[in-house]
Amino acid sequence: MRVVTKEQVAALGLTLADVVGGLKRSFLAAQAGEIVWRPKSTINQPDGAFLIGTLAGWSGAGVALFHNIMGTSAANVGPGEPHYTSLQILSDYRTGRAIAAIDGTFTSTMLPAGVTALAAARLARPDAKIATFVGAGIQARVNLDALRSVREIATVRVLSRSRASASGFAALVTALGLKAEISESPEAAIRGSDIIVSSVPSGPGLRPFLEPAWVSPGAFVSAVDIGRSWLPGFEAFERRFTDDKEQAQMQHREGRMAYGGAFDGEIAELIPASPAADPQGRAVIIHPGNVVGVLGVTMEISRAVGLQPGG
């Protein structure tokens, strides 16, 4: 069995476009019944530790996958550092033998950004210019790239509990030639924004502080943080999506997702065509990241590394 490290994956030079392409292929294959899988199962501890596991098989591609995450409270790591580790075990579907153990840092980092790009291309208004980022860590950075790949963002509002992280992200925004605004008020950051990305990490004592009623007509929310920073109210939105309804319901039952539905659709339904235009309708996608997406990104890594089932 081959071990593919974080550094080796980084050296492959995979792009956001590669990730989005892999996601499209895997989500459409799952919708067509070509991938068998189970929703994530989660154990959350009072001290902020969490354990997540899930699995999938794609007979047509000749592979199976076990995906696991071990995480901790963001308070236990340095500013901007990941508060979880992820590993994928890729196996040969026919023989059952392990092909590789692949570090999941790239996958766990880029999967939410790929979903944001897919969803924003369909749900965000074409003229969206103002984007608010609640949380200013690595997810804010990769999701900004995702939004800029599908919309002409001109102004970025930053809301963060850490002034240092907010300033660092604002400096990056300015270096990209965009206008950066650091906000002290959650309501001011949300109202009037065209797109809102929330990526607040989990941790003991975290309480929702964003009010869905602040979201302006026609705006789009990408809840990378699975909605943990949001108060109840998404049911009033005109369009509500998730990566997979079955998984969302399980994550809700296990207490990881506060909002468990109803949802109007899933990611696979957003890929072929845009929903009907609704310039006044608010839209949200809550995406805890399911194994179909993980498999799609892992397949891109596998191809780039040269891994082959039966090899």
Side-chain angles (χ1 to χ4, degrees), residues 35-41 52-57 65-67 244 246-247 250-251 289-292:
I35 297 176
V36 295
W37 63 283
R38 289 291 180 269
K40 287 179 177 179
S41 183
I52 302 173
T54 181
L55 63 162
L65 182 84
F66 175 73
H67 167 65
D244 177 83
E246 181 183 0
Q247 174 178 265
M250 175 175 281
Q251 296 281 283
N290 76 349
V291 73
V292 173

Side-chain angles (χ1 to χ4, degrees), residues 228-246:
R228 67 171 61 94
S229 56
W230 292 87
L231 292 157
F234 283 135
E235 64 274 3
F237 280 29
E238 287 72 19
R239 295 179 291 179
R240 301 173 302 276
F241 286 81
T242 187
D243 40 15
D244 177 83
K245 294 178 184 178
E246 181 183 0

Side-chain angles (χ1 to χ4, degrees), residues 19 22-23 25-27 29-30 34-37 54-67 88-91 93 102 107 111 289-303:
V19 170
L23 293 181
R25 285 185 283 274
S26 64
F27 279 117
E34 299 170 15
I35 297 176
V36 295
W37 63 283
T54 181
L55 63 162
W58 192 348
S59 58
V63 298
L65 182 84
F66 175 73
H67 167 65
Q88 283 81 58
I89 305 297
L90 190 68
S91 299
Y93 183 90
I102 303 174
T107 300
L111 175 55
N290 76 349
V291 73
V292 173
V294 171
L295 182 54
V297 180
T298 303
M299 290 298 291
E300 294 301 304
I301 295 172
S302 175
R303 279 190 280 268

Side-chain angles (χ1 to χ4, degrees), residues 139-159:
Q139 281 303 317
R141 295 168 188 252
V142 296
N143 275 270
L144 175 58
D145 291 340
L147 292 184
R148 294 183 72 220
S149 73
V150 296
R151 293 294 183 265
E152 294 183 6
I153 303 300
T155 300
V156 173
R157 299 175 181 175
V158 186
L159 179 68

